[in-house]
Amino acid sequence: MNLLLLEEADFVAADRVVLRDRRLVHMQEVHRAVVGDNLRVGRIGGLMGNAQLLRLEAREAELQVSFDLPPPAKLPLTLLLALPRPKMLRRVLQTVAAMGVPKVVLVNSYRVEKSFWQTPFLEPEAVREQLILGLEQARDTVLPEIIIEKRFKPFVEDRLPAMTEGTLGLIGHPGDYPPCPRGLDEPVTLAIGPEGGWIPYEVDLLAKAGLQPVQLGARILRVETAVTALLARLF
Amino acid sequence: MNLLLLEEADFVAADRVVLRDRRLVHMQEVHRAVVGDNLRVGRIGGLMGNAQLLRLEAREAELQVSFDLPPPAKLPLTLLLALPRPKMLRRVLQTVAAMGVPKVVLVNSYRVEKSFWQTPFLEPEAVREQLILGLEQARDTVLPEIIIEKRFKPFVEDRLPAMTEGTLGLIGHPGDYPPCPRGLDEPVTLAIGPEGGWIPYEVDLLAKAGLQPVQLGARILRVETAVTALLARLF
């Protein structure tokens, strides 16, 4: 946790917060904070700034806070991601939040196992928890938007073309395709497939919606590694 | 597992192997292989090729194998990595093997907790297990060399300068430094610090050995994410 993220409910006055949850435990056990210490804080969806620890008791802490710093810029990206297996989903959500992806569409694919859609990790509170961990890691305050699309074809045919408009549309896909471009400034829509990849029918439909395959080389990467590698290369 | 990696001990003839361990279970439960199926195989340290499943029983499988394809090229990189915490170490070892790093030096740093050096995950068999998982994921056969350096100063002063010679030496380090270069062809020596980063004294010593700090932006990434992002950007 490199940033203590504050929710509206934490505020007891305009410049005071009281914490009682895992953030209190983290201050006690990892930061080993003492009264008077200064900590970096951020207001969810708002500015970042500093906090001074006014009071630290076994079950609650009170901090005086001030905010003056905007969070880092997001990437100009919409990430379309075939729903990963539940354990991977949690890590990927942290990673996309940490790397500054503003918008993620979790979409079905032929190679996504049906059971993955039943995971409790897809419930809004569970998704938010992982996103917060990513923001705390990277020092950002703005939650990415997560959109869930359980049906591939209607999403790609009816809604994806409007999302892709005015962006460079790419599919990260192993094979005999052009190499993934580097160091872009323009907005990108990037689709990353499931373990085993998109099937040809899906690549065709994505291409009709304006996305073209690009590759990162012969190595097959885990989804989480592929997400990080593609983002680091593109921007 | 995108490649079935074979050890010398698996061979019962020049073109036959018998498997009994987790690879057998994987063939049965994940691949749901049946006699006659073809599988991609690789010989550790050697070529990749194809196998045909000749016999599949509850406790062993026999395959006929042939090898004709070289493994993918490694990156022209020596990665100097402050020892991560044990759980992260395992994932990082998989990641570096999957991404094609040929040589990793695990080194001490002021911010590496002493207890990390006690982990059983540092034992040669445990290290090898994670590397194999990474090679199986990415389809590679050549194990990276892992060097363990428990003392920072003698390593950086006495052995690092010779390692760095003829390479571009870089330190991935947050701060007001030049941006990490992109798309290099030349050999690189890259140092990645622990959670919390290298301390200034360590950056100074690394600089004397020929490594210069470069940054990836304001976001603080977990070690595993930083490794992937830096490699994807550099090469």
Side-chain angles (χ1 to χ4, degrees):
Chain A
M1 191 192 291
N2 296 306
L3 182 75
L4 191 61
L5 265 181
L6 304 173
E7 313 260 358
E8 288 314 303
D10 300 324
F11 284 79
V12 294
D15 67 344
R16 296 281 173 101
V17 295
V18 172
L19 303 181
R20 295 185 188 86
D21 57 10
R22 71 177 173 88
R23 295 167 296 173
L24 171 65
V25 176
H26 191 89
M27 274 196 286
Q28 291 165 329
E29 295 181 2
V30 181
H31 287 166
R32 293 186 186 127
V34 295
V35 168
D37 277 2
N38 285 292
L39 299 163
R40 286 170 192 260
V41 290
R43 193 166 190 149
I44 288 184
L47 296 175
M48 309 198 294
N50 284 289
Q52 191 176 34
L53 186 52
L54 300 177
R55 182 163 63 79
L56 181 63
E57 292 161 15
R59 299 174 67 173
E60 67 176 46
E62 185 169 354
L63 299 101
Q64 177 157 1
V65 293
S66 64
F67 302 96
D68 56 354
L69 195 68
K74 296 286 192 194
L75 300 173
L77 176 71
T78 296
L79 178 63
L80 177 56
L81 190 66
L83 183 68
R85 61 179 62 246
K87 198 174 157 185
M88 179 67 81
L89 171 64
R90 301 179 75 198
R91 287 219 303 274
V92 168
L93 289 170
Q94 285 187 35
T95 301
V96 296
M99 293 197 75
V101 179
K103 186 171 179 175
V104 179
V105 184
L106 294 171
V107 67
N108 196 31
S109 151
Y110 182 78
R111 293 209 176 102
V112 169
E113 289 183 28
K114 282 203 178 63
S115 65
F116 294 177
W117 290 104
Q118 308 308 319
T119 175
F121 297 147
L122 263 183
E123 285 169 18
E125 271 312 297
V127 167
R128 191 175 193 275
E129 185 186 336
Q130 299 305 317
L131 297 176
I132 294 274
L133 290 173
L135 296 178
E136 288 175 345
Q137 166 66 42
R139 291 195 187 139
D140 189 358
T141 65
V142 182
L143 286 161
E145 179 186 6
I146 307 290
I147 297 167
I148 293 179
E149 292 281 0
K150 287 197 187 181
R151 295 178 60 215
F152 180 84
K153 189 164 179 274
F155 164 67
V156 173
E157 289 188 335
D158 303 341
R159 293 184 285 287
L160 184 59
M163 268 186 198
T164 310
E165 205 180 321
T167 73
L168 178 64
L170 302 173
I171 311 171
H173 198 58
D176 186 17
Y177 297 110
C180 178
R182 298 177 191 272
L184 300 177
D185 286 319
E186 65 195 296
V188 171
T189 305
L190 172 67
I192 299 180
E195 286 174 54
W198 304 107
I199 61 172
Y201 167 80
E202 293 168 339
V203 174
D204 288 347
L205 275 194
L206 290 168
K208 280 184 193 148
L211 280 68
Q212 296 303 324
V214 292
Q215 51 83 20
L216 268 187
R219 294 172 181 276
I220 300 171
L221 302 176
R222 282 181 303 169
V223 172
E224 187 195 9
T225 311
V227 167
T228 303
L230 283 161
L231 301 189
R233 171 132 166 173
L234 284 171
F235 299 108
Chain B
M1 191 192 290
N2 297 305
L3 183 74
L4 191 62
L5 267 181
L6 304 173
E7 313 261 359
E8 288 314 304
D10 301 323
F11 285 79
V12 294
D15 65 345
R16 296 281 172 101
V17 295
V18 171
L19 303 181
R20 295 184 186 86
D21 57 11
R22 68 174 177 90
R23 295 168 296 173
L24 171 65
V25 176
H26 191 90
M27 273 196 286
Q28 291 165 327
E29 295 182 1
V30 182
H31 287 166
R32 293 187 186 129
V34 294
V35 168
D37 277 2
N38 285 291
L39 299 163
R40 287 171 192 260
V41 290
R43 192 165 191 150
I44 288 184
L47 296 175
M48 309 198 293
N50 285 289
Q52 191 176 34
L53 186 51
L54 299 178
R55 181 164 63 80
L56 181 63
E57 291 161 15
R59 299 173 68 171
E60 67 177 47
E62 185 168 354
L63 300 100
Q64 177 157 0
V65 294
S66 63
F67 302 96
D68 57 354
L69 194 68
K74 296 286 192 194
L75 300 173
L77 176 71
T78 296
L79 178 63
L80 176 57
L81 190 66
L83 182 68
R85 63 179 60 246
K87 198 175 157 184
M88 179 67 80
L89 170 64
R90 301 179 75 197
R91 286 220 302 275
V92 168
L93 289 170
Q94 284 189 35
T95 301
V96 296
M99 293 196 74
V101 179
K103 186 172 179 175
V104 180
V105 184
L106 294 169
V107 67
N108 196 31
S109 152
Y110 182 78
R111 294 210 174 101
V112 169
E113 289 182 28
K114 283 205 177 62
S115 65
F116 295 176
W117 289 105
Q118 308 308 319
T119 176
F121 297 147
L122 264 182
E123 285 169 18
E125 271 311 298
V127 167
R128 190 175 193 274
E129 185 186 335
Q130 299 306 317
L131 298 176
I132 295 274
L133 290 174
L135 296 178
E136 288 175 344
Q137 165 66 42
R139 291 195 187 138
D140 188 357
T141 65
V142 182
L143 286 161
E145 178 186 7
I146 307 289
I147 297 168
I148 293 179
E149 291 283 0
K150 287 197 186 181
R151 294 177 62 213
F152 180 84
K153 189 165 179 275
F155 165 67
V156 173
E157 288 187 337
D158 303 341
R159 293 184 284 287
L160 184 58
M163 267 187 199
T164 310
E165 204 180 321
T167 72
L168 177 63
L170 302 173
I171 311 171
H173 198 57
D176 187 18
Y177 297 108
C180 177
R182 297 177 191 274
L184 300 176
D185 286 318
E186 66 196 294
V188 171
T189 305
L190 171 67
I192 298 180
E195 287 175 53
W198 303 107
I199 61 171
Y201 166 80
E202 291 168 341
V203 175
D204 288 348
L205 275 195
L206 290 169
K208 278 182 195 150
L211 281 66
Q212 296 303 324
V214 292
Q215 50 83 21
L216 267 187
R219 296 174 180 275
I220 301 171
L221 302 176
R222 283 180 302 169
V223 171
E224 186 195 9
T225 312
V227 167
T228 303
L230 284 160
L231 301 190
R233 172 134 165 171
L234 284 170
F235 299 107

